Amino acid sequence: YMRRIFCKTQMPQEIPENLAADIRVQVLLSSYNGEKYIAEQIESIQRQQGVKAELLIRDDGSADRTLEIIQDYAENNSNICYYKGRNIGVQHSFFDLMAHADRTADYYAFADQDDVWLPDKLQRAVSLLQGCADADRPLLYAGGLIYADEMLQHLKLVVHKRRKEASFGNALIENICTGCTEVFNGKLLEMAAAHRPQCEILHDWWMYLTASCFGQVLYDQAAYIYYRQHDKNVVGMSGCRAGRWMRRLHHRSDLRGIVSRQTKDFCRAYRNLGSSRALACEVLSYKKSWRHRIGILFEKRIYRQDWIDDLIYRVLFLLGFL
């Protein structure tokens, strides 16, 4: 089943053969009652090629055999460390992992407990990140997903087709960077760990906002991860437009005002947004008058990747829902 699927519209670039194998990537994994799948995920991380993968696991108060499985791997593998915490939820657990990350690593990556990675997932991300001219800026890599069922069958490639570029204007109203695909540099880790959100925004969206505002986002049209979907997913996704909108309608009460809350929190956390502040202020003030609503309705720098999604969100801006 470990066959690779790529986007039909863009084949992956060659991974440089001279990529240094001693590049250290610390993988941050939050576990919770994951006894059924976590061993398979750890094994796939251990099989990573071309880089030196190190694994830091935080258990979020599991009540099953998850911690026993992790302990067994840590005792037999020097590159695996773990610690146990109280149950604080996936968002706070990943931010706690960032606070405990080894600051001497070259790059960092998020991992979910129930996925399976292809052997060159980290190598691919690092090769693109190393190609960035300004490594002192916060850098974020993200890519596509191969949706799969519990048995890793019925595979379907899903990527955010880059009709438009990854940008701060996009990040304000849409997250195209799924956490389990994200790989990032130390600068982004430091910024996100030091400026934590107070609202209930997931770690991956916060990383996209931060990197797009202050640095660079690299979105890869290729996919290097089997994204397992099952009834125990803490955060699941749908691979089709209809499924995504059914999910949003089901959670519509949680979505009301989400853009305004997240933007306000981002401005609180990062007081100096530089040239991006004007765009954030447009979102924060759009409910003040119909003139402001109409203004943001035609704001081309704020957009979603899919044109139908984009149209619907502009209507929601007009209605003051966001």
Side-chain angles (χ1 to χ4, degrees):
Y1 62 85
M2 291 296 286
R3 59 191 177 93
R4 184 179 306 158
I5 298 178
F6 295 114
C7 181
K8 295 179 180 178
T9 58
Q10 181 175 333
M11 294 301 292
Q13 301 173 5
E14 292 291 332
I15 297 175
E17 293 183 0
N18 61 349
L19 187 64
D22 60 350
I23 291 177
R24 294 172 56 217
V25 182
Q26 187 173 50
V27 180
L28 308 177
L29 190 156
S30 176
S31 63
Y32 179 70
N33 290 346
E35 63 179 4
K36 190 173 182 180
Y37 306 114
I38 194 168
E40 195 172 9
Q41 169 66 309
I42 293 174
E43 291 288 347
S44 74
I45 294 172
Q46 292 293 83
R47 288 193 296 267
Q48 290 301 294
Q49 301 171 354
V51 298
K52 188 176 181 181
E54 302 171 358
L55 182 56
L56 176 63
I57 305 173
R58 179 191 184 276
D59 186 74
D60 194 37
S62 293
D64 61 1
R65 291 186 57 255
T66 299
L67 196 57
E68 295 176 35
I69 296 170
I70 294 170
Q71 288 172 335
D72 184 59
Y73 272 99
E75 289 173 2
N76 292 283
N77 297 274
S78 60
N79 66 322
I80 299 177
C81 297
Y82 74 95
Y83 65 102
K84 183 178 180 180
R86 61 185 179 86
N87 182 244
I88 55 177
V90 61
Q91 173 206 14
H92 300 291
S93 186
F94 273 109
F95 276 102
D96 194 71
L97 275 164
M98 283 193 277
H100 286 83
D102 180 357
R103 295 303 196 267
T104 65
D106 297 299
Y107 295 98
Y108 306 86
F110 291 134
D112 291 341
Q113 65 185 5
D114 42 14
D115 300 326
V116 171
W117 289 6
L118 296 180
D120 47 358
K121 177 188 185 294
L122 293 179
Q123 186 181 28
R124 166 67 170 175
V126 169
S127 69
L128 294 180
L129 289 168
Q130 286 194 315
C132 295
D134 188 356
D136 292 330
R137 296 185 301 164
L139 302 176
L140 174 66
Y141 165 96
L145 300 163
I146 303 169
Y147 280 68
D149 61 15
E150 288 190 69
M151 304 303 295
L152 298 183
Q153 301 295 321
H154 304 293
L155 307 179
K156 178 183 179 183
L157 174 68
V158 177
V159 296
H160 286 272
K161 296 178 181 178
R162 288 182 56 183
R163 295 180 175 89
K164 299 177 181 178
E165 293 296 316
S167 71
F168 184 62
N170 180 223
L172 284 170
I173 63 172
E174 179 180 23
N175 180 28
I176 65 172
C177 300
T178 308
C180 54
T181 72
E182 290 185 346
V183 183
F184 45 96
N185 66 352
K187 182 64 175 179
L188 181 55
L189 175 79
E190 290 288 351
M191 290 188 69
H195 301 84
R196 293 177 59 163
Q198 293 179 354
C199 67
E200 292 301 313
I201 181 175
L202 285 174
H203 58 289
D204 52 4
W205 199 341
W206 193 256
M207 300 297 273
Y208 181 31
L209 278 165
T210 302
S212 62
C213 182
F214 301 103
Q216 184 177 354
V217 178
L218 306 173
Y219 187 82
D220 193 354
Q221 296 284 15
Y224 295 83
I225 176 174
Y226 290 100
Y227 189 59
R228 197 193 309 256
Q229 298 294 284
H230 54 85
D231 58 2
K232 298 291 181 64
N233 281 111
V234 176
V235 180
M237 294 177 65
S238 174
C240 65
R241 180 185 292 131
R244 290 195 299 270
W245 276 104
M246 286 298 293
R247 183 181 178 86
R248 290 168 190 163
L249 287 173
H250 182 70
H251 296 283
R252 59 187 178 276
S253 59
D254 297 329
L255 296 176
R256 180 178 291 276
I258 186 172
V259 170
S260 298
R261 290 195 304 272
Q262 291 178 177
T263 305
K264 182 178 181 180
D265 200 21
F266 192 76
C267 291
R268 173 204 57 79
Y270 299 100
R271 295 186 180 277
N272 182 15
L273 301 187
S275 59
S276 297
R277 172 162 288 278
L279 206 57
C281 286
E282 283 194 50
V283 172
L284 290 177
S285 62
Y286 91 92
K287 293 182 182 181
K288 288 183 177 180
S289 68
W290 281 103
R291 180 177 63 83
H292 285 87
R293 293 189 187 190
I294 293 173
I296 203 167
L297 183 67
F298 294 99
E299 176 56 75
K300 294 182 179 180
R301 295 174 297 171
I302 297 175
Y303 53 82
R304 291 178 67 88
Q305 296 289 331
D306 182 87
W307 72 269
I308 293 181
D309 282 1
D310 188 61
L311 178 62
I312 292 173
Y313 266 69
R314 292 185 187 280
V315 173
L316 292 176
F317 268 121
L318 192 63
L319 297 175
F321 183 85
L322 301 173

